Amino acid sequence: MSLPHAILIALVEKPSSGLELTRRFDKSIGYFWSATHQQIYRELGKLEAEGFIRTLPSEQPARGQKKSYEVLPAGRAELARWTAASQDPRPHRDTLLLRMRAASVVGTEGIEADLRRHLDLHRRQLAEYEEIEERDFPPGKDSSQDRLRHLVLRAGIDLETFWTQWLTRALEEFAELPGHETA
């Protein structure tokens, strides 16, 4: 039930329309929890039906106007309950790692190029996170909210650092395989 909670978090931070939520997911929350436009709108309807959010009153006629939503006390209570609850980590699933395992038994064709592509993607994501960190978390910005948000960003930076290091090592290992020819 994490997508509804991600939406509640975003709405507690700032009442928004579905379109604004989609944009915020693309620019921030989506770095660690992704959702499509359709999923967000579907969850907004469910959250409203459950009494967790409400549509903000519009100053103009509703027809053709985007609806904005805010979190109700029941939604805030649900978010607090969920936040306080214990959850076990989920096992990591990654198709690249599964494909590497398959390459050990069926051959490595195409894997090296994809490792290089993944390395490039992770390097770009790491650079983007580091830019966000520099822009949004200058020295002295240390309110509780800022510190917790920065920790989430640091998790992304650390994960991208891990992947760039692992992929670099994997490509080095790949280059040492018997019969390997540089791609």
Side-chain angles (χ1 to χ4, degrees):
M1 192 168 164
S2 294
L3 177 56
H5 294 103
I7 291 171
L8 285 173
I9 293 164
L11 290 175
V12 165
E13 291 175 341
K14 179 182 176 193
S16 305
S17 69
L19 180 59
E20 291 165 339
L21 281 172
T22 300
R23 289 179 180 150
R24 288 173 61 203
F25 265 76
D26 288 345
K27 292 183 179 178
S28 62
I29 294 170
Y31 290 128
F32 57 90
W33 198 268
S34 61
T36 66
H37 184 77
Q38 293 85 356
Q39 289 172 317
I40 290 171
Y41 275 93
R42 186 170 40 250
E43 289 302 326
L44 285 169
K46 290 178 186 176
L47 289 167
E48 191 167 28
E50 292 172 4
F52 292 155
I53 65 172
R54 74 175 182 126
T55 304
L56 288 170
S58 177
E59 296 175 9
Q60 301 176 359
R63 188 176 181 157
Q65 295 293 320
K66 63 182 178 181
K67 290 187 206 177
S68 287
Y69 300 88
E70 70 176 352
V71 176
L72 294 170
R76 198 175 268 275
E78 168 56 22
L79 189 55
R81 182 209 60 78
W82 178 78
T83 301
S86 177
Q87 293 186 356
D88 292 335
R90 290 186 173 165
H92 181 75
R93 295 171 60 174
D94 190 290
T95 55
L96 178 62
L97 297 177
L98 190 58
R99 290 175 52 232
M100 290 285 289
R101 183 70 180 253
S104 74
V105 293
V106 298
T108 60
E109 186 171 336
I111 294 292
E112 183 177 12
D114 208 35
L115 289 171
R116 291 184 192 289
R117 187 179 70 80
H118 277 249
L119 179 57
D120 182 55
L121 292 171
H122 285 287
R123 281 179 174 157
R124 282 191 267 158
Q125 189 64 67
L126 177 57
E128 186 174 343
Y129 286 166
E130 288 171 337
E131 287 174 20
I132 292 169
E133 182 178 43
E134 187 175 322
R135 180 191 70 220
D136 293 350
F137 298 100
K141 190 171 184 180
D142 60 357
S143 71
S144 295
Q145 285 182 330
D146 289 331
R147 290 173 73 179
L148 292 174
R149 288 179 182 141
H150 193 189
L151 275 173
V152 173
L153 178 61
R154 283 299 322 167
I157 290 170
D158 291 348
L159 284 169
E160 294 304 327
T161 299
F162 161 78
W163 279 112
T164 57
Q165 291 172 348
W166 184 86
L167 287 160
T168 299
R169 185 174 348 141
L171 286 163
E172 289 168 357
E173 288 285 330
F174 213 90
E176 295 176 10
L177 294 175
H180 175 265
E181 293 180 25
T182 304

